[in-house]
């Protein structure tokens, strides 16, 4: 069974939060960092820092969780981030991005 992920990206000042779902977290974070999709929300608002993610065994669970979190307040999202990543560090620092 393929893993899937719910993730939060933010900008350098942590003022913008983006929530997404993917089956390939490393590749998707790379796409955000390199602004692969120039007109996308994360490119426009410079969201290139991974600050939170959850892993699922079913994409439908990840999508359900995404909808749940998007419907909630920013404060609720910040509580999740602060619990696991209180300094809001880029969790992808040190990742090797290689796609061949």
């Amino acid at each position: 069974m393929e893993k899937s992920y719910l993730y939060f990206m933010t900008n350098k000042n942590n003022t913008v939060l983006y929530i997404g779902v993917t089956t390939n977290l490393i590749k998707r974070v790379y796409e955000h960092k390199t602004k692969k999709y120039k007109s996308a929300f994360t490119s426009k608002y410079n969201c290139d820092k991974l600050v939170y993610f959850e892993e699922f065994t079913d994409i439908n669970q990840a999508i359900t969780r995404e909808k749940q979190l998007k419907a909630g307040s920013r404060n609720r999202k910040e509580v999740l981030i602060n619990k696991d990543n209180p300094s809001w560090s880029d969790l992808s620092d040190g990742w090797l991005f290689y796609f061949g």
Side-chain angles (χ1 to χ4, degrees), residues 73-100:
S73 68
R74 178 180 171 105
N75 183 59
R76 189 167 153 204
K77 297 168 189 100
E78 287 178 357
V79 166
L80 286 174
I81 297 166
N82 288 328
K83 186 181 95 175
D84 292 333
N85 186 8
S87 64
W88 288 53
S89 300
D90 186 348
L91 300 176
S92 67
D93 272 354
W95 287 10
L96 297 176
F97 298 105
Y98 173 77
F99 309 101

Side-chain angles (χ1 to χ4, degrees), residues 4 11-12 19 26 28 33 35 39 46 50-51 54 65 68 81 83-84:
S4 55
N11 59 351
K12 70 177 182 176
I19 300 176
I26 293 172
R28 191 67 186 110
K33 287 182 174 295
K35 296 180 176 31
S39 61
N46 296 309
L50 177 68
V51 291
E54 296 177 9
R65 180 70 167 145
Q68 177 190 47
I81 297 166
K83 186 181 95 175
D84 292 333

Side-chain angles (χ1 to χ4, degrees), residues 8-18 29 31-51 90:
F8 294 178
M9 301 294 293
T10 192
N11 59 351
K12 70 177 182 176
N13 296 320
N14 305 327
T15 56
V16 179
L17 275 179
Y18 170 82
V29 168
E31 290 170 348
H32 288 302
K33 287 182 174 295
T34 60
K35 296 180 176 31
K36 180 175 182 179
Y37 304 104
K38 304 292 183 215
S39 61
F41 180 91
T42 54
S43 292
K44 183 176 178 181
Y45 293 98
N46 296 309
C47 296
D48 60 2
K49 187 167 70 166
L50 177 68
V51 291
D90 186 348

Side-chain angles (χ1 to χ4, degrees), residues 2-7 9 20-32 50 53-56 59 62 95-100:
E2 187 175 46
K3 292 179 183 177
S4 55
Y5 302 87
L6 163 111
Y7 64 96
M9 301 294 293
V21 169
T22 186
T23 57
N24 188 334
L25 185 61
I26 293 172
K27 183 176 182 181
R28 191 67 186 110
V29 168
Y30 175 79
E31 290 170 348
H32 288 302
L50 177 68
F53 68 92
E54 296 177 9
E55 184 178 299
F56 298 87
I59 189 70
W95 287 10
L96 297 176
F97 298 105
Y98 173 77
F99 309 101

